[in-house]
Every structure is written in structure tokens, then in C-alpha cells.
């Protein structure tokens, strides 16, 4: 079973821009390559949230990187210069890893991303606002389904597997999720759509950090009532008491919420 400190590192790994060639490698192989070449964006092992991975005996280093959602995509635009194709940074970002011993699959979702000027990427900012207002479904909901399906398709070597069968596969094969802020809300959304309830649970705890309440979004999407207490045994969120987003409607978070009394570096509570 993955520990809280390990979920913390995994939630931070979601912010790394891995290479396409990293898929299928262990984190140990990727880290050793990164220590030599320094070629991956936001892969700073000296940062508090990733520093635990410097230890070669850290069990996460044996985990295999299954896949990462595309970092960019192309879009056709029309302006006064005519029609052209541009490359756009993907607003949705997630990685999937697997424990080679237990075969447990873990999805780590990236939180709100920003441009080099510190401006939130539009789709992330809109999704954050929607989660906060609980008016409309998150714009990234379909991205979650598509990424889950593509990951299972690779694992099963079945490119035609449906989304529903993919979600059933994840539920039956110890899949959990993690993420920070927006990423944590998306992780809790994945728990809901793959049907993780106490009566059918077959996985360790999904663990999130500074996550806003997602209940209202789910209820608006599916026009049904959701009881967050149904998830108390298998979803945990750790929220910094001074974090605005993490304390936004946290009575609507799925599962239990633990408040961390720490005003500065959230990660120091664990590392």
C-alpha cells in the first residue's frame, strides 16, 4: 500500500514534463538519466516535495511510468493572416504509474498550471472556477476518461476497449489517484466515476492535497445526490489550514479531510 508521503511525491511528479521515451521505464531509470542530463522540465529533486526520491531505496523508484497525457496538441485557427495550425500547451496533464510488485496503478493529476508569467492556463482556471461555484461540470472530465481508457488500452493491449470496461478494469486492479488542488479534485472525480464505494472497494486510499470540494460538480453532472461520507474509508485529503483552495467547501470533498497546521511549506509536515 502506498504511504501518504509517497502520494505526496507522486502528486509532485505530475508537474514534471517527462519524455515520450520515458514510458515503460522505472522511476529509478528516469531519475538516473535526469541526474546526468537535466533535460526534463520541473524535475527538481532538490525541491522538498521530490527530495525523498533522491534515496535510491525509495520504493517509488521501482514504479514504472506507464504513460503521460500529451503535453501539447495542434489546433487550427483562422485570423487575418488566414488559416493556420498552431501548437498549444495541453491544459490537462496526468501521469500513470504502476507498482511492479502489487500491480497497483496510480494516476497523478497536475493541479492548476500557469504560463511563464504566472497566469493560469485558461482551461485550468475555468475548471477551478467551476469547481468553486459548483455550477457546471469540470471542463477536463472527458480528458480523465480518455486518459484512463488509453492507459488501460496499453496495459491490456486492447486498443478497442471501451471507457466503461476501462473503468471496471481500474476498479478491479487496485487503481488509486492523487493530486494537488485542481489535480486532487480530478483525482476524487476519477474515484467516483470508476465506482469506488465501500461495498466494492478493492484498492488502497486515494490521497489528495489541498483539494476543493468536488461533490457539487458531480451532482450537477449526474443529476444525483452524492454522500461524501460514503467515501470515508478510501479517500483522504490533507489540507493546509492556510490554503484558500483546499478549504473551499471542503465539506463537499469526497472522503475524510485532515487539516495540517502549517503556514509555510506544506511538504515539511511529511518530509
Amino acid at each position: 500500500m502506498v504511504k501518504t508521503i509517497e502520494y505526496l511525491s507522486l502528486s509532485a511528479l505530475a508537474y514534471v514534463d517527462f519524455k515520450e521515451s520515458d514510458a515503460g521505464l522505472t522511476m529509478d531509470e528516469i531519475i538516473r538519466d535526469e541526474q546526468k542530463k537535466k533535460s526534463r522540465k520541473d524535475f527538481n529533486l532538490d525541491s522538498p516535495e521530490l527530495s525523498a526520491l533522491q534515496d535510491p531505496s525509495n520504493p517509488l523508484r521501482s514504479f514504472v511510468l506507464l504513460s503521460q497525457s500529451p503535453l501539447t496538441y495542434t489546433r487550427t485557427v483562422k485570423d487575418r493572416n488566414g488559416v493556420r495550425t498552431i501548437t498549444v500547451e495541453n491544459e490537462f496533464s496526468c501521469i500513470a504509474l504502476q507498482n511492479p510488485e502489487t500491480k497497483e496503478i496510480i494516476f497523478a493529476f497536475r493541479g492548476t498550471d500557469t504560463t511563464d508569467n504566472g497566469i493560469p492556463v485558461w482551461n485550468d482556471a475555468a475548471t477551478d472556477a467551476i469547481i468553486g461555484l459548483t455550477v457546471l461540470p469540470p471542463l477536463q472530465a472527458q480528458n480523465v476518461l480518455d486518459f484512463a481508457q488509453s492507459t488501460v488500452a496499453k496495459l491490456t493491449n486492447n486498443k478497442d476497449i471501451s471507457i466503461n470496461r476501462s473503468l471496471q478494469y481500474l476498479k478491479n486492479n487496485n487503481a488509486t489517484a492523487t493530486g494537488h488542488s485542481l489535480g486532487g479534485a480530478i483525482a476524487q472525480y476519477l474515484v467516483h466515476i470508476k465506482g469506488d464505494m465501500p461495498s466494492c472497494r478493492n484498492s488502497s486510499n486515494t490521497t489528495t492535497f489541498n483539494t476543493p470540494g468536488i461533490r457539487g460538480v458531480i451532482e450537477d453532472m449526474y443529476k444525483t445526490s452524492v454522500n461524501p461520507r460514503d467515501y470515508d474509508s478510501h479517500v483522504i485529503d490533507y489540507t493546509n489550514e492556510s490554503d484558500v483552495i483546499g478549504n473551499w467547501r471542503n465539506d463537499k470533498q469526497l472522503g475524510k479531510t485532515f487539516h495540517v497546521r502549517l503556514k509555510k511549506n506544506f511538504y515539511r509536515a511529511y518530509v
Side-chain angles (χ1 to χ4, degrees), residues 17 19 47 93 117 126 170 177 187 190 208 216 242 257 260-261:
D17 287 355
K19 300 177 181 179
S47 62
S93 186
N117 295 323
L170 294 175
L190 176 61
T208 60
S242 63
T257 300
V260 180
R261 294 185 176 181

Side-chain angles (χ1 to χ4, degrees), residues 103-200:
K103 302 304 180 184
E104 179 180 3
I105 303 163
I106 300 173
F107 291 86
F109 295 95
R110 186 179 297 188
T112 305
D113 214 348
T114 59
T115 65
D116 291 338
N117 295 323
I119 301 172
V121 173
W122 183 85
N123 198 17
D124 284 353
T127 305
D128 277 341
I130 288 166
I131 288 173
L133 295 173
T134 63
V135 174
L136 297 170
L139 302 180
Q140 298 188 4
Q142 188 60 46
N143 296 126
V144 178
L145 296 174
D146 292 342
F147 185 70
Q149 182 185 33
S150 65
T151 299
V152 174
K154 292 178 182 178
L155 282 168
T156 60
N157 196 28
N158 178 8
K159 65 179 182 179
D160 298 319
I161 192 168
S162 67
I163 288 177
N164 286 339
R165 289 188 63 188
S166 298
L167 294 174
Q168 185 64 43
Y169 179 93
L170 294 175
K171 185 172 71 174
N172 293 341
N173 287 272
N174 301 326
T176 60
T178 189
H180 167 263
S181 190
L182 167 63
I186 296 173
Q188 291 188 13
Y189 172 70
L190 176 61
V191 170
H192 176 79
I193 60 174
K194 70 187 181 75
D196 273 2
M197 301 292 284
S199 61
C200 61

Side-chain angles (χ1 to χ4, degrees), residues 5-227:
I5 179 63
E6 293 167 344
Y7 274 119
L8 197 61
S9 294
L10 290 169
S11 69
L13 282 174
Y15 290 85
V16 176
D17 287 355
F18 291 98
K19 300 177 181 179
E20 289 186 16
S21 58
D22 288 338
L25 299 179
T26 65
M27 286 308 305
D28 183 71
E29 292 172 315
I30 296 172
I31 288 171
R32 290 180 184 276
D33 182 73
E34 179 62 20
Q35 288 173 327
K36 293 179 181 177
K37 300 178 181 178
K38 306 291 184 183
S39 56
R40 296 165 182 83
K41 182 182 177 183
D42 295 326
F43 201 177
N44 180 11
L45 291 173
D46 291 325
S47 62
E49 58 268 34
L50 291 176
S51 59
L53 292 173
Q54 293 182 14
D55 183 357
S57 66
N58 187 313
L60 290 184
R61 291 183 63 137
S62 68
F63 281 35
V64 176
L65 179 66
L66 298 175
S67 56
Q68 181 175 40
S69 56
L71 298 175
T72 60
Y73 63 93
T74 58
R75 186 169 67 190
T76 301
V77 297
K78 184 178 181 180
D79 54 25
R80 62 184 181 181
N81 296 318
V83 178
R84 57 196 175 94
T85 300
I86 62 173
T87 300
V88 182
E89 183 176 350
N90 198 346
E91 303 92 346
F92 171 81
S93 186
C94 178
I95 59 173
L97 302 100
Q98 186 173 44
N99 184 327
E101 294 185 5
T102 66
K103 302 304 180 184
E104 179 180 3
I105 303 163
I106 300 173
F107 291 86
F109 295 95
R110 186 179 297 188
T112 305
D113 214 348
T114 59
T115 65
D116 291 338
N117 295 323
I119 301 172
V121 173
W122 183 85
N123 198 17
D124 284 353
T127 305
D128 277 341
I130 288 166
I131 288 173
L133 295 173
T134 63
V135 174
L136 297 170
L139 302 180
Q140 298 188 4
Q142 188 60 46
N143 296 126
V144 178
L145 296 174
D146 292 342
F147 185 70
Q149 182 185 33
S150 65
T151 299
V152 174
K154 292 178 182 178
L155 282 168
T156 60
N157 196 28
N158 178 8
K159 65 179 182 179
D160 298 319
I161 192 168
S162 67
I163 288 177
N164 286 339
R165 289 188 63 188
S166 298
L167 294 174
Q168 185 64 43
Y169 179 93
L170 294 175
K171 185 172 71 174
N172 293 341
N173 287 272
N174 301 326
T176 60
T178 189
H180 167 263
S181 190
L182 167 63
I186 296 173
Q188 291 188 13
Y189 172 70
L190 176 61
V191 170
H192 176 79
I193 60 174
K194 70 187 181 75
D196 273 2
M197 301 292 284
S199 61
C200 61
R201 173 178 169 240
N202 185 30
S203 65
S204 57
N205 289 330
T206 282
T207 303
T208 60
F209 306 92
N210 287 340
T211 298
I214 191 72
R215 171 188 172 185
V217 173
I218 295 173
E219 289 181 333
D220 285 343
M221 289 181 71
Y222 296 102
K223 307 304 179 184
T224 187
S225 177
V226 175
N227 182 2

